[in-house]
Amino acid sequence: MSVDVLHLAINYIDLAASGEHSAHYREQLIGTDGSVSTLLEQLHLAYNGKPAKGYASFSDDKDPAVPQALASWQAADTDYLGFTKAMTDALVNQLSTHQLPETGYLVLGHYRYLASEFLIVCLLGSKDHFALTEQLDLSTSRHLDIARMQLAARIDLTEYQVNAGAGNYISFIRGRAGRKVADFFLDFLGCAEGTDARQNSQKVLASVEEYFAAAEFEQGEKTSARRQVFDYCEERAKAGQDVVLAELSAVVDPEQENGFLHYCAEQQLEVAEQFPVEVKELKKMVKFNGAGGGISLSFDEKLLGDRVQYDAGTDTLIIKGTPPNLRDQLQRFTQGYSAFQRQRDDD
């Protein structure tokens, strides 16, 4: 995988003891050499790997600073450096408005991946790394903490230019810090949440299962098709791309490539022609898992009805053939550890 670096700017946002935010600007763009390309590739992959994303579009009811700055840059009235300065100023303003203590390096990367151009915007923290020289002197270096990326969003500039009406050209990480942070980042970008990837995923799950029943798929065919559907959706999500309904239809039923497509139209299932999905939700197609009351279980969908039997009437699960490590633990516990060890020694 490789990305084509177009522009990269990094500014720093600080918080004074008085509680006021301030920005420190880099006066030139960062070059587009190999290390920059590697950085943007890592950001691209890290962002795609985040499971919980929201989707949004610019809103007239929000702060227009970012949409206006973007329009000015795309119209060539402002260069990229000026555009990123305006973005940084907008972020400082929202941090102050929301009274959040966030600081860090604001990375604004413009790049091309496959046939689309993207603008990734993320506020990253840093961490110190320690190394020893040949003389055993201690040296430190500061690294961007990409692994802990939480405050980040990405604008699909190509989608925004050609299909803004779809309303899902901006994605953002929901994160774990609470709804207030998500609201703050949406306010910073001047956008409102729209397309719900989780709901899209649930609709795909329901629609595909309905099609299986209508097309009278056998159990083995269902299991195979579910895996193919999940693999296709996961691949699209990891690449940061939407699921295409026509392509999904061919995956659901290769023998009738438009079968699922026509079924959705006939049943008025209101599945969009192109939509983002949430892999975590779609994983329910191929794996069952749950935890509660001191029990944690997980098993592949293909085992249900075979090695795993479920009685809905009594809410009872019967598992035939336990994993070796679990079986070992159970035998040690039921037989007594000393007796079990003697048995193992005799064997």
Side-chain angles (χ1 to χ4, degrees), residues 178-233:
R179 182 66 190 170
K180 185 177 181 181
V181 174
D183 287 342
F184 133 71
F185 221 67
L186 291 179
D187 289 345
F188 154 56
L189 293 169
C191 62
E193 188 168 1
T195 302
D196 190 323
R198 186 169 181 269
Q199 289 184 359
N200 287 337
S201 302
Q202 292 173 342
K203 187 175 293 185
V204 167
L205 281 169
S207 302
V208 167
E209 291 299 326
E210 288 179 22
Y211 178 77
F212 288 159
E216 299 181 346
F217 273 42
E218 295 182 358
Q219 187 57 44
E221 293 176 318
K222 290 180 183 179
T223 295
S224 177
R226 288 181 185 123
R227 169 53 65 179
Q228 295 298 321
V229 169
F230 174 76
D231 288 345
Y232 164 74
C233 293

Side-chain angles (χ1 to χ4, degrees), residues 3-189:
V3 301
D4 297 325
V5 181
L6 302 175
H7 301 96
L8 177 65
I10 300 179
N11 296 319
Y12 182 69
I13 295 178
D14 199 3
L15 180 65
S18 61
E20 295 183 0
H21 286 88
S22 61
H24 304 270
Y25 307 99
R26 193 177 193 278
E27 297 303 324
Q28 296 88 25
L29 296 178
I30 297 176
T32 57
D33 58 17
S35 60
V36 173
S37 179
T38 300
L39 170 62
L40 280 178
E41 283 183 11
Q42 290 184 10
L43 289 173
H44 178 81
L45 290 172
Y47 185 84
N48 287 348
K50 294 294 182 179
K53 295 191 186 73
Y55 292 83
S57 57
F58 292 129
S59 172
D60 294 336
D61 297 328
K62 296 293 187 75
D63 189 335
V66 168
Q68 288 178 356
L70 179 62
S72 178
W73 169 52
Q74 293 195 313
D77 294 331
T78 306
D79 61 12
Y80 190 76
L81 192 64
F83 163 62
T84 56
K85 183 179 184 302
M87 290 275 287
T88 306
D89 290 340
L91 179 55
V92 169
N93 180 57
Q94 288 299 330
L95 284 169
S96 299
T97 300
H98 286 263
Q99 297 183 333
L100 293 171
E102 306 294 335
T103 63
Y105 296 90
L106 181 62
V107 180
L108 303 114
H110 176 211
Y111 65 96
R112 183 182 296 107
Y113 177 69
L114 299 179
S116 297
E117 285 189 22
F118 296 95
L119 176 71
I120 188 166
V121 183
C122 47
L123 186 64
L124 298 177
S126 63
K127 56 183 180 180
D128 290 335
H129 283 235
F130 300 92
L132 291 171
T133 66
E134 292 182 358
Q135 292 73 35
L136 299 182
D137 292 325
L138 188 65
S139 64
T140 61
S141 60
R142 180 164 295 181
H143 292 196
L144 292 173
D145 197 356
I146 297 175
R148 298 180 64 183
M149 175 195 297
Q150 288 296 331
L151 292 174
R154 185 170 63 191
I155 303 175
D156 186 331
L157 297 172
T158 302
E159 182 73 8
Y160 177 51
Q161 291 170 352
V162 303
N163 193 25
N168 61 344
Y169 49 85
I170 301 174
S171 61
F172 63 95
I173 298 174
R174 292 188 183 279
R176 301 177 182 176
R179 182 66 190 170
K180 185 177 181 181
V181 174
D183 287 342
F184 133 71
F185 221 67
L186 291 179
D187 289 345
F188 154 56
L189 293 169

Side-chain angles (χ1 to χ4, degrees), residues 233-247:
C233 293
E234 183 183 40
E235 181 181 350
R236 298 290 294 185
K238 285 184 175 180
Q241 298 174 320
D242 289 348
V243 166
V244 178
L245 182 59
E247 295 177 356

